[in-house]
Amino acid sequence: MPRLPSIAVLLGGLLLCSRLPAADIDPASYGFPLHNPFEATIVTTPPELRPDLPPDSEIDQRDYSLSLHPARPFALPGSLRQVRDLRYRLARQAHAAPLIFIISGTGAHYASSHTEYLKRLFYGAGFHVVQLSSPTSYDFMAAASRTATPGLSREDADDLYRVMEAVQAQQADLPVTAYHLIGYSLGALHAAFVSQLDETRRRFAFKRVLLLNPPVNPYDSIRNLDRLVQTDVPGITGNLTFYELILGKLTRYFQQRGHIDLNEALLYDLQQSKERLTDEEMAMLIGSVFRFAAADIAYTSDLINRRGLITPPDYPVEEDTPLAPFFIRALQCNFGCYLNEQLIPQWRRGHNGSSLSQLVGQIGLQALREYLAGSRKIAAMHNADDLILGPGDLAFLRRTLGERLTLYPFGGHCGNFNYRVNSQAILEFFRD
């Protein structure tokens, strides 16, 4: 980050010294019913406590494709040629309106459930909405990333910014009154870096930027999630795997109900039954979801770059090639494995980097401390019991954002932003 003139540094220091405290939501008055962070992360908000939002049938929306053809030293293998163009979703108002970009979380597609919820929330409030995949999703890695090695936050933000510029150009007839930006989970970290990039490029001049449950130090968050997979789950023996245990509970639950109903309220209903998952089982389930995301990132990055760590570099991978053996191998690689085997070598080649601590210092919110402290348009909403937070993360957010940090006592990781109280607070932040 360019060094600021001395007077600006002085003013920034005074601002930090006089910062108002974060808005801590009182646990006694906060009505979110799930106080277990594992349960909140998996179940999210019970349906009756969510706001009334427009259904898809009432939303003027369409998916579009971008042919970005980034300059990169690889050609897509056959199995990924179907995503050589990047797709995104636009929900369009019938009149001039502000536009908000939504950046999805780790490994998430532009049409993932959290992103879709935010689309409905903002569309109902009168916004044009653009939904973007995460730079860690296979489609973004194949169609938009210049290195197909996500994890370097500034490079990921630059890739995202190019996508946003391409969207703006493709939708030149869309009457936009102002631009806004929001991201959740890893997408919130990306939103912060994109916002800083826009300060110099000024293509959007974002009016408001909101970070929902951002990782402060991604390396600590990765280690937290990797540890969940190592949870000791009672009842698992050499003859019964974790997945068989969960499947057995779901089977018995459906037998008791008399039918299979795979709707979004499934896990909430399950947790009210005698087949409810224990804390250990929920921790393992959350960790497994992120392990699959890590495997997908590691496999896709290795395949596109032909590194030979998972798929032999000369192995012909076409649309009909069986990929299961390679994905099983990828499942043995957690986020830490991807970082050590692919991300750090890529960083060292392109940035003359050396130590892990040097990399960690460049990819988290700490690298943006001065910018976040001085930019009044940026705010964050987080949960005190979020599983991805590491030691000192909340203290950093309090010192840096002050009253622009809203801290909820419960909600786990992204489990409560579809709660009607949180949703109302999100919309209030973006209102003039």
Side-chain angles (χ1 to χ4, degrees):
M1 178 177 181
R3 295 197 58 81
L4 299 173
S6 57
I7 185 65
V9 174
L10 176 61
L11 291 175
L14 292 174
L15 180 65
L16 282 170
C17 292
S18 62
R19 191 164 310 287
L20 296 174
D24 285 71
I25 305 302
D26 177 31
S29 61
Y30 184 53
F32 187 73
L34 304 180
H35 297 183
N36 181 312
F38 300 116
E39 192 169 39
T41 300
I42 293 173
V43 173
T44 75
T45 305
E48 64 273 15
L49 297 180
R50 302 177 188 182
D52 292 328
L53 300 178
D56 276 351
S57 60
E58 297 178 5
I59 297 176
D60 180 8
Q61 60 184 334
R62 178 185 155 193
D63 291 358
Y64 296 85
S65 294
L66 297 171
S67 296
L68 298 169
H69 302 295
R72 53 191 176 187
F74 50 74
L76 293 178
S79 61
L80 289 174
R81 286 179 197 141
Q82 59 181 329
V83 288
R84 64 180 179 271
D85 292 340
L86 183 71
R87 295 178 67 81
Y88 67 93
R89 182 165 294 170
L90 167 65
R92 177 193 299 259
Q93 300 288 343
H95 48 77
L99 182 149
I100 187 163
F101 288 99
I102 304 173
I103 305 177
S104 302
T106 307
H109 186 256
Y110 67 86
S112 65
S113 59
H114 281 324
T115 313
E116 280 287 288
Y117 175 81
L118 290 172
K119 182 268 304 286
R120 295 172 59 217
L121 177 68
F122 284 104
Y123 188 84
F127 288 72
H128 303 303
V129 184
V130 172
Q131 299 167 236
L132 301 176
S133 295
S134 167
T136 57
S137 66
Y138 78 95
D139 58 321
F140 195 102
M141 292 169 67
S145 174
R146 286 165 297 175
T147 65
T149 311
L152 302 177
S153 299
R154 295 189 191 279
E155 292 187 4
D156 293 341
D158 191 61
D159 287 335
L160 277 164
Y161 201 85
R162 288 186 307 107
V163 170
M164 293 177 185
E165 288 178 315
V167 170
Q168 186 185 53
Q170 190 176 63
Q171 305 296 337
D173 64 333
L174 189 68
V176 176
T177 59
Y179 288 97
H180 300 278
L181 180 62
I182 189 171
Y184 65 87
S185 189
L186 185 61
L189 177 72
H190 288 140
F193 278 88
V194 167
S195 180
Q196 187 202 37
L197 185 61
D198 186 58
E199 298 293 350
T200 56
R201 298 190 184 177
R202 304 300 294 176
R203 286 297 298 270
F204 304 101
F206 294 114
K207 189 172 182 180
R208 298 278 190 277
V209 179
L210 183 60
L211 319 180
L212 296 176
N213 296 81
V216 174
N217 181 333
Y219 184 65
D220 283 345
S221 298
I222 285 169
R223 290 192 296 178
N224 288 352
L225 295 168
D226 279 344
R227 279 195 290 265
L228 293 180
V229 184
Q230 303 165 11
T231 304
D232 184 16
V233 179
I236 294 180
T237 66
N239 298 322
L240 180 67
T241 68
F242 166 72
Y243 301 101
E244 289 170 334
L245 184 148
I246 298 297
L247 183 60
K249 287 198 169 194
L250 288 172
T251 299
R252 291 189 295 272
Y253 168 72
F254 286 134
Q255 286 174 341
Q256 293 159 11
R257 289 174 62 95
H259 67 285
I260 295 177
D261 182 15
L262 290 173
N263 60 37
E264 62 183 2
L266 162 67
L267 284 169
Y268 178 73
D269 290 341
L270 176 67
Q271 288 304 97
Q272 312 311 307
S273 75
K274 67 178 183 179
E275 298 297 341
R276 64 178 290 118
L277 305 182
T278 66
D279 283 358
E280 294 83 3
E281 290 165 353
M282 288 189 289
M284 178 69 87
L285 183 59
I286 294 167
S288 298
V289 169
F290 280 93
R291 172 62 65 85
F292 273 94
D296 197 33
I297 295 167
Y299 168 77
T300 304
S301 185
D302 175 72
L303 178 61
I304 292 177
N305 288 285
R306 294 297 189 179
R307 294 187 174 114
L309 298 170
I310 297 170
T311 305
D314 297 325
Y315 192 88
V317 179
E318 299 300 333
E319 292 186 18
D320 58 349
T321 301
L323 301 179
F326 304 119
F327 196 71
I328 290 172
R329 188 181 304 172
L331 281 171
Q332 299 170 11
C333 185
N334 58 17
F335 277 112
C337 161
Y338 167 73
L339 183 122
N340 290 318
E341 293 190 358
Q342 300 198 61
L343 183 61
I344 289 181
Q346 173 75 23
W347 170 65
R348 285 174 174 161
R349 283 193 299 271
H351 300 271
N352 297 318
S354 56
S355 67
L356 174 62
S357 61
Q358 185 182 3
L359 171 63
V360 170
Q362 293 180 7
I363 63 176
L365 290 181
Q366 297 95 332
L368 302 178
R369 186 188 66 82
E370 290 183 3
Y371 173 65
L372 295 174
S375 181
R376 306 300 298 172
K377 68 183 179 184
I378 299 178
M381 295 182 182
H382 227 308
N383 299 324
D385 63 351
D386 196 317
L387 309 172
I388 71 169
L389 290 171
D393 285 354
L394 285 180
F396 169 83
L397 291 173
R398 289 180 187 278
R399 289 194 308 270
T400 305
L401 296 173
E403 76 279 9
R404 289 177 286 123
L405 169 65
T406 302
L407 188 63
Y408 296 94
F410 321 115
H413 184 58
C414 295
N416 59 339
F417 67 67
N418 57 352
Y419 177 42
R420 60 191 175 211
V421 172
N422 292 61
S423 295
Q424 183 63 31
I426 290 171
L427 291 180
E428 285 294 332
F429 173 72
F430 287 96
R431 291 200 174 102
D432 292 331

